[in-house]
Amino acid sequence: MAVDARVFDRAGATAAPATLSADAWQRFRRSRLAMVGLVVVALLVIAAAGAPWLAPADPAKQSLIEKRARPGGKFILGADEFGRDILSRLIFGSRVALLVGGLSVAIALAVALTLGCLAGFAGGFIDVVIMRIVEILLAFPYLLLAIAVVSALGPGVLNTTIAVGIWGAPTATRLVRGAVLVARDSEYARAARALGASAGRVLIRHVLRNVLPTVIVYSTLFMANAILVEAALSFLGLGAQPPTASWGLMVSSGRDFLLVAPHIATVPGLAIMVAVLGFNLLGDGLRDALDPRLRGQL
Amino acid sequence: MLTFVARRLLLAVPVLLGVVFVVMLTVELIPGDAVALMLGEHATPEAVARLRDYLGLDKPLMVRYAAYVGHLARGDLGRSIQQNRPVVDELADAWPATLELTVAALVLAAAAGVAAGVVSAVWPNSLFDAVARVGSLFGLSMPVFWTGLVLIVIFALWLPWLPVGGTGSLGHLVLPAVTLALPSVAMVARMTRSSVLEVLREDYVRTARAKGVAERLVVSKHALRNAAIPILTLLGLQAGQLMGGAVLTETVFAWPGLGRLMVKAIFARDYVLLQGAVLVFALAFVLINLAVDLAYGALDPRIARQG
Amino acid sequence: MTRVRFAFAALVALILAGAAGLVAPAPAAAQKPGGTLTIVRPTDPVSLDPQLETTAPGAWVYFNMLEPLLTIDEKMQIRPSLASSYEVMSPTKVRFKLRPGVKFHDGTPLNAAAVKFTFERALRGTPPARWASLAGPLAGAEVVDDLTVDVTTREPYGPILRTLAMYCTGIVSPTAVQKMGEGFSRAPVGTGPFRFVEWKTNTHVILERNPDYWGDKALLDRVIFKVVPEEGARMIALQTGDADMVLLPAPAQLPQLKRDPKYVVHEVVGGRVVFAGMNAAVPPLDDVRVRTALLHAVDRKAILENILEGSAVAARGVLAPSVFGFKDMQLDRLYPFDRAKAKALLAQAGYTPGPDGVLQKGGQRLSLSWLAARGRYPKDGEVTEAIQAMFKEVGVEAKVQFLEWATVFTQFRSAGFKDHMFTLGWVTSNADADYSMYALFHSKQIPPTGWNTSRYSNPKVDALVEQARRNLNQTEREKQYGEAQDILAREMVWIPVYNTKEIVVTRAGVKGFTVHPVEYNLWLGKVWLDK
């Protein structure tokens, strides 16, 4: 068993539970903000799963005569420019939000972790090549990327999400690589290697753990960006096709009415914010909970 | 270090050539022809064919690419298909505005973001922390046109302090820079908070504290120095995204920058103009990445040794 | 009580004022010269030379600097401009007498050689002008003497006069073109009431009064065309006074602007028809019953009222009313909004309701594919979505694919276009029916040759349109187009939705401005500022 300086933890802490996960869960539970995040995300998932039963009206049903109705009365959160119920569209839109936020982050991270670790660890020629590819991708205009993906795969939320994921990959790769570089040569890693741990174990246990916080924070922030990028692309006609409800598209089409019926764009915008906030708090909570340096601390 | 810089600049060349090629290839593969679009609904197929021939656009891709690179070596970026004007002139009209806006937004984002992040990290879970996190998330989640128009309504209509749009004075720069910087402030603040928190929990920080070093010194000398790397990476990347993502801000505030130019070029399939703009961005990215890597080296000598 | 007193006082004041007016001659609507007019619009021109630019952003500007031989007034009547008179010499030749003493902005004289130079450059330059394709069989111009020029066409061309009145056929100064070369496209030299000052790309174009103008001199000192891409920002600029005139204003704000005495909303029905097109070559739209049913399924009134909100008028046919040859197709009488009728027709065509409400026949769902772009024409995306929902109400499923214009354009132009429905707008550039009827409904104009995206083919209509194109007798042409539109009305391949309105909003202090049905004809020669 490796010598762990933290054996000398402060007295006065409650008796540390035996396993890491139980310990983590306890710490997580204690953070109020993290619990708020969990609740928000759970609500989102429930909304997405139970949309057909939760939504008060058909999200595609138009009633032109009631266009832009203010919130209150028949339309709890108001109606959009076609007289469609915003609340129902919001609930159905959570599906798109989860898809866009989740899948694009997953794609970006998959690429970033692979290439970033490779570049950071291997160094030398591989690092140079990967970083140059990253630079090419960074310079490539994302609108053109989206058009290319849509041309190849067809329009729609799924394909635009792929495009957004690819767009986010270079930035994430650089972040991961940076974190790997720092962790690779830290004293802890050197100590572990000196004690005989193989390079593989060093990578997994120390480096990845070091990378994780950066990755979590970036992912939760990237999600907001992803939804907004999908919004812009949908507005141009490359994303969600009608009558699909996507929060991003709702915000974009509300743009024309910002000065006469601001609720059309603002309500879905707030929904995006709440969702992003939830993921962020959850992410922060996860990161704090999983950090073993806090083991035994509150 | 000089060899490091020289090598990186040399490496920039394949990056630039690579980007140009990928852009050219992509425009070739997607539907849409610059000339047909330009001549519009009224053009006969013969007129389209004639113009394509005249502009040399019917030659195969590799031939055009080779020609482009050849011209590039002589500093000639070609002529915009749509405007029939040298790309260099088009870019010269637009890039100062982009530079101005990007720098302003980056400075704002860095200053506000790092400050907020540090305060949040030093007093985690405090009221300030909560307000800062939620507030910055608001700036990140609301789309640019929303924040932009709201700011215009407040500061140009209700309080006639600032102009509605366009360029000219420092007053013209304020609203677009703030609008553009807002999402970045959120990102930088969060990243700063996270990084600094990480570092504050490290052993050597606790050692410093145990040794009786003043908290302020702990934070600034030890914590920030080591937290700087991810923050710096992010700032470098934000600089790139501010440049490339400014198109919405430019639209809302009528800011005549490269973002709008690029979007117009993409919609018109004017790949010559597009490549010119992309080259400017690519060069900027290369230089920014270089600066960030140099900063890595300055902050953490262990990294400098590998380059 | 006070209201009555106030009214009485006002009445007295009015009487006194009237009396004063009778005694002292009132000054004529005091046109004050001077001042700068600031106009905001969404995009910057590509060029200020009609050779390279035929779209509105450039046309709005150069229309005040370059003048054609003839012009079209607000009542769509042909009027002399640089040509003071004309004479049809033969079916392929029209002789124009130019006004004497007219000078270009660079001081050189307007003469027949300049006209010939302009047309040569447009038709046979390298490359030819964008507007050459709009000019049909225009062949060129021949100099007869210094002030007389013959314009010739390769074959008899009915619309020739309207073509020569188009905004983009302005006569340019040969000296300037030869001296400036490419620079001409950024600083044109013509004969108009305004001349060029400066163009800062993507920011503004500035014009100033031409003191040597041959007609009524302009009243304004300067005109500044500013680029403000965001609609909301344009409207705010109007409110803060940063702008005096807004082009392409926000439809949603028009009702409140009309009620506000600080602003004037100028509007007139324009020349563009926006429609949902049906591809008659792809089943089931080859069945006229299905097409008729779709026409009955659309509540055009609801769309006009709620989506376009007064920024457009209901289309009354395939042409706009301002176009020569227009016939009101009585669409509301032939195809009124009637869901029951639509359902009945579809039942007649053999469709029965399926399990999820969508009609089906022989196991196949009535599912139509629809290709459209967003933002190309006002509210085109919203109109498409609204009609999609209306189709659903009668059991027709429409799968809409929105793509960006470049992709959509390419598909529309391709021979392999297989979608059922498409959204398109068509402006009759020379305000002559030939421009629309020939390109959109002649069987030889099926893509990729032309724009008959509906794949409409009727030999009778072909014959009528060809005859009218070659006929120089305008009365006969009108009758021929009327007949063609009657035939079309019975076998519609379009669902015409609206005619755009040309809408310009100005501050109340901007006087003397009349909006023109042709969107490119933004005439500022009579505008003055009452500040």
Side-chain angles (χ1 to χ4, degrees):
Chain A
M1 194 166 105
V3 173
D4 191 332
R6 287 163 189 81
V7 159
F8 300 106
D9 249 335
R10 352 189 266 237
T14 50
T19 61
L20 174 61
S21 47
D23 176 37
W25 171 242
Q26 246 208 9
R27 250 203 318 282
F28 187 87
R29 252 187 25 209
R30 294 236 164 80
S31 165
R32 270 213 295 263
L33 286 179
M35 289 310 283
V36 168
L38 184 63
V39 166
V40 169
V41 173
L43 280 176
L44 208 58
V45 173
I46 293 173
W53 300 280
L54 291 169
D58 178 359
K61 178 101 184 176
Q62 291 188 6
S63 171
L64 289 176
I65 204 94
E66 294 172 295
K67 65 182 186 293
R68 308 204 288 262
R70 303 250 142 194
K74 178 170 164 197
F75 300 107
I76 301 176
L77 288 178
D80 68 6
E81 66 270 29
F82 292 104
R84 297 183 292 211
D85 179 30
I86 290 185
L87 177 60
S88 304
R89 287 178 70 77
L90 217 59
I91 293 175
F92 272 90
S94 61
R95 296 179 162 181
V96 173
L98 282 176
L99 175 68
V100 171
L103 185 59
S104 62
V105 166
I107 294 176
L109 280 184
V111 173
L113 284 171
T114 322
L115 291 180
C117 286
L118 196 59
F121 239 84
F125 183 68
I126 298 183
D127 182 26
V128 168
V129 167
I130 292 183
M131 279 302 107
R132 303 288 85 72
I133 294 178
V134 163
E135 275 165 12
I136 292 181
L137 277 174
L138 276 174
F140 193 81
Y142 87 82
L143 180 60
L144 190 59
L145 174 66
I147 295 178
V149 169
V150 164
S151 299
L153 302 173
V157 179
L158 181 63
N159 299 334
T160 327
T161 308
I162 294 175
V164 174
I166 299 175
W167 166 71
T171 310
T173 306
R174 274 214 54 111
L175 276 173
V176 167
R177 173 186 174 267
V180 167
L181 284 178
V182 169
R184 184 177 77 173
D185 286 309
S186 69
E187 281 102 3
Y188 191 74
R190 282 200 234 212
R193 277 206 292 269
L195 284 171
S198 70
R201 285 188 78 205
V202 170
L203 166 66
I204 294 167
R205 293 196 66 208
H206 183 72
V207 171
L208 277 186
R209 220 184 45 204
N210 199 332
V211 165
L212 206 58
T214 311
V215 158
I216 291 179
V217 172
Y218 178 73
S219 308
T220 49
L221 285 174
F222 177 71
M223 247 176 247
N225 236 1
I227 295 179
L228 289 175
V229 171
E230 187 268 328
L233 293 174
S234 291
F235 191 63
L236 292 171
L238 297 167
Q241 299 296 306
T244 314
S246 121
W247 292 351
L249 184 56
M250 288 164 79
V251 172
S252 291
S253 30
R255 179 179 183 174
D256 287 340
F257 308 104
L258 211 52
L259 298 173
V260 288
H263 66 279
I264 301 180
T266 311
V267 169
L270 289 172
I272 295 175
M273 194 193 96
V274 167
V276 169
L277 184 65
F279 278 110
N280 266 284
L281 292 175
L282 184 62
D284 282 351
L286 267 176
R287 200 213 50 231
D288 287 350
L290 289 173
D291 188 339
R293 278 169 299 196
L294 296 175
R295 239 222 253 188
Q297 293 178 10
L298 283 173
Chain B
M1 197 197 59
L2 217 53
T3 35
F4 177 68
V5 173
R7 224 178 46 170
R8 281 294 287 274
L9 286 179
L10 212 63
L11 283 174
V13 174
V15 169
L16 296 177
L17 291 179
V19 163
V20 167
F21 183 71
V22 175
V23 168
M24 216 185 220
L25 181 65
T26 310
V27 173
E28 181 80 5
L29 292 175
I30 58 180
D33 167 52
V35 174
L37 283 168
M38 205 167 52
L39 294 182
E41 287 103 347
H42 322 298
T44 54
E46 296 87 49
V48 173
R50 224 171 12 186
L51 191 52
R52 295 196 80 224
D53 190 85
Y54 171 74
L55 292 172
L57 296 175
D58 51 344
K59 302 214 179 66
L61 179 70
M62 289 316 292
V63 173
R64 280 183 281 137
Y65 179 66
Y68 187 84
V69 173
H71 285 274
L72 191 60
R74 280 174 274 151
D76 174 11
L77 287 170
R79 302 181 70 86
S80 154
I81 300 174
Q82 248 214 330
Q83 313 270 78
N84 196 33
R85 217 181 146 214
V87 170
V88 182
D89 291 346
E90 294 277 322
L91 295 178
D93 282 337
W95 85 262
T98 291
L99 188 67
E100 197 185 329
L101 185 60
T102 308
V103 168
L106 193 61
V107 165
L108 268 176
V114 169
V118 166
V119 175
S120 277
V122 172
W123 288 287
N125 297 317
S126 65
L127 183 65
F128 176 87
D129 184 26
V131 167
R133 278 155 82 183
V134 176
S136 64
L137 272 180
F138 188 76
L140 178 65
S141 311
M142 294 313 265
V144 166
F145 63 82
W146 192 94
T147 38
L149 277 175
V150 166
L151 285 174
I152 292 179
V153 168
I154 298 176
F155 293 102
L157 193 58
W158 292 347
L159 307 162
W161 292 347
L162 295 168
V164 173
T167 46
S169 62
L170 201 63
H172 282 99
L173 182 59
V174 172
L175 289 182
V178 168
T179 308
L180 187 59
L182 269 174
S184 290
V185 168
M187 287 223 165
V188 173
R190 309 285 269 112
M191 194 56 89
T192 305
R193 177 187 183 279
S194 163
S195 290
V196 172
L197 263 180
E198 280 298 306
V199 162
L200 282 177
R201 290 172 188 156
E202 286 286 345
D203 285 342
Y204 61 85
V205 169
R206 291 209 263 168
T207 316
R209 279 198 186 118
K211 271 167 49 180
V213 178
E215 189 66 15
R216 247 196 1 249
L217 213 56
V218 169
V219 171
S220 59
K221 189 157 172 227
H222 296 276
L224 215 46
R225 204 137 190 255
N226 288 280
I229 293 200
I231 301 175
L232 219 51
T233 314
L234 188 66
L235 276 178
L237 292 161
Q238 286 300 298
Q241 307 224 302
L242 287 174
M243 265 195 310
V247 55
L248 283 174
T249 312
E250 288 175 14
T251 306
V252 172
F253 292 97
W255 193 265
L258 280 175
R260 260 176 39 204
L261 199 80
M262 225 164 59
V263 169
K264 247 180 21 176
I266 293 176
F267 284 140
R269 304 291 195 263
D270 186 348
Y271 71 87
V272 186
L273 179 58
L274 181 61
Q275 274 159 211
V278 170
L279 274 174
V280 171
F281 281 135
L283 195 57
F285 274 118
V286 166
L287 292 173
I288 292 173
N289 277 347
L290 179 57
V292 170
D293 280 348
L294 283 175
Y296 277 179
L299 286 169
D300 189 342
R302 295 171 297 189
I303 300 178
R305 267 184 264 123
Q306 309 120 24
Chain C
M1 202 40 189
T2 358
R3 235 194 264 153
V4 174
R5 286 236 291 274
F6 177 82
F8 182 72
L11 188 61
V12 170
L14 207 61
I15 296 174
L16 286 175
L22 285 172
V23 169
Q31 288 181 327
K32 298 185 203 141
T36 302
L37 180 74
T38 307
I39 305 177
V40 288
R41 76 265 200 264
T43 28
D44 208 33
V46 163
S47 163
L48 291 178
D49 183 353
Q51 192 85 355
L52 298 166
E53 165 81 286
T54 48
T55 64
W60 284 327
V61 180
Y62 67 63
F63 187 69
N64 292 285
M65 292 191 283
L66 303 169
E67 301 180 292
L69 291 172
L70 301 168
T71 190
I72 293 206
D73 67 14
E74 293 98 22
K75 307 264 185 313
M76 304 305 289
Q77 298 303 314
I78 301 179
R79 294 246 168 281
S81 178
L82 286 184
S84 51
S85 68
Y86 61 88
E87 195 190 332
V88 176
M89 307 290 287
S90 81
T92 55
K93 190 192 294 215
V94 183
R95 176 160 294 178
F96 292 90
K97 283 245 182 294
L98 301 173
R99 252 174 241 282
V102 177
K103 289 212 177 32
F104 288 106
H105 300 145
D106 60 0
T108 57
L110 167 76
N111 51 27
V115 176
K116 178 169 172 142
F117 178 85
T118 303
F119 287 3
E120 276 305 305
R121 178 180 185 245
L123 297 168
R124 283 171 278 280
T126 10
R130 302 282 147 84
W131 66 263
S133 314
L134 295 172
L138 184 67
E142 286 157 16
V143 174
V144 176
D145 64 46
D146 202 43
L147 289 175
T148 315
V149 62
D150 281 349
V151 175
T152 55
T153 55
R154 289 191 301 270
E155 48 188 47
Y157 188 54
I160 182 64
L161 291 177
R162 285 216 147 70
T163 300
L164 292 173
M166 275 200 301
Y167 63 97
C168 46
T169 59
I171 309 298
V172 301
S173 156
T175 323
V177 171
Q178 277 153 350
K179 199 162 70 164
M180 294 165 80
E182 273 171 19
F184 187 82
S185 102
R186 309 248 334 151
V189 175
T191 55
F194 289 94
R195 59 184 181 200
F196 177 83
V197 175
E198 113 177 333
W199 179 4
K200 198 151 163 248
T201 314
N202 267 326
T203 308
H204 63 228
V205 181
I206 305 185
L207 305 181
E208 70 178 1
R209 181 201 306 136
N210 172 12
D212 303 315
Y213 184 55
W214 58 266
D216 291 329
K217 315 272 188 281
L219 291 154
L220 296 165
D221 285 335
R222 292 193 137 198
V223 179
I224 304 183
F225 287 87
K226 277 197 189 159
V227 179
V228 180
E230 186 76 17
E231 196 179 70
R234 284 203 291 285
M235 304 312 290
I236 296 178
L238 185 70
Q239 292 175 278
T240 59
D242 282 319
D244 301 306
M245 181 186 279
V246 176
L247 299 176
L248 295 181
Q253 292 186 285
L254 289 176
Q256 78 204 55
L257 287 170
K258 285 186 190 170
R259 289 194 296 263
D260 192 332
K262 292 202 296 289
Y263 309 105
V264 179
V265 176
H266 307 264
E267 54 181 16
V268 75
V269 179
R272 178 175 274 124
V273 181
V274 174
F275 58 96
M278 300 185 270
N279 188 346
V282 181
L285 292 182
D286 51 351
D287 183 342
V288 68
R289 287 172 301 188
V290 175
R291 295 206 302 270
T292 312
L294 291 179
L295 276 154
H296 282 295
V298 177
D299 184 357
R300 294 180 322 139
K301 188 150 157 283
I303 293 179
L304 261 299
E305 275 172 13
N306 297 302
I307 296 181
L308 294 154
E309 297 185 271
S311 65
V313 293
R316 297 190 348 237
V318 299
L319 296 174
S322 56
V323 171
F324 170 78
F326 163 78
K327 179 153 187 185
D328 187 335
M329 284 171 148
Q330 313 258 325
L331 295 170
D332 286 333
R333 194 175 55 84
L334 286 175
Y335 303 104
F337 171 53
D338 188 341
R339 286 210 175 113
K341 187 119 190 254
K343 289 186 187 164
L345 276 165
L346 288 168
Q348 254 182 55
Y351 287 93
T352 49
D356 58 353
V358 175
L359 292 174
Q360 49 158 14
K361 177 159 99 171
Q364 281 242 14
R365 287 161 69 95
L366 187 46
S367 182
L368 305 174
S369 61
W370 193 328
L371 185 62
R374 259 209 155 93
R376 177 92 185 148
Y377 313 104
K379 303 288 175 200
D380 50 4
E382 288 82 343
V383 168
T384 307
E385 270 196 72
I387 299 182
Q388 179 192 37
M390 289 168 182
F391 278 6
K392 193 80 194 294
E393 298 281 339
V394 299
V396 178
E397 177 183 61
K399 292 215 169 80
V400 175
Q401 263 203 6
F402 278 127
L403 292 169
E404 38 107 37
W405 176 246
T407 312
V408 167
F409 177 91
T410 311
Q411 295 240 36
F412 286 175
R413 291 295 267 141
S414 79
F417 180 63
K418 286 264 177 319
D419 287 295
H420 294 100
M421 310 274 315
F422 57 96
T423 309
L424 194 60
W426 189 265
V427 65
T428 319
S429 294
N430 59 6
D432 188 301
D434 168 73
Y435 190 74
S436 291
M437 300 296 287
Y438 189 71
L440 298 167
F441 298 110
H442 194 285
S443 59
K444 288 219 181 65
Q445 293 292 309
I446 293 179
T449 318
W451 274 87
N452 188 346
T453 321
S454 297
R455 275 100 176 131
Y456 178 75
S457 178
N458 184 323
K460 280 208 288 270
V461 170
D462 281 355
L464 283 165
V465 167
E466 280 166 26
Q467 278 165 30
R469 190 176 161 94
R470 285 195 164 64
N471 196 341
L472 280 152
N473 181 326
Q474 306 297 324
T475 328
E476 278 173 30
R477 294 184 70 220
E478 224 173 349
K479 263 214 300 272
Q480 284 159 337
Y481 285 124
E483 272 183 60
Q485 287 169 77
D486 283 336
I487 300 177
L488 259 174
R490 290 194 295 268
E491 33 185 48
M492 285 296 272
V493 288
W494 284 9
I495 305 177
V497 181
Y498 69 83
N499 289 131
T500 44
K501 270 199 212 168
E502 300 310 320
I503 308 182
V504 175
V505 183
T506 60
R507 297 172 73 71
V510 174
K511 305 265 193 252
F513 175 72
T514 322
V515 66
H516 198 288
V518 177
E519 66 175 326
Y520 311 102
N521 293 19
L522 188 73
W523 185 245
L524 301 169
K526 293 203 165 54
V527 176
W528 55 281
L529 297 170
D530 184 11
K531 286 232 171 107

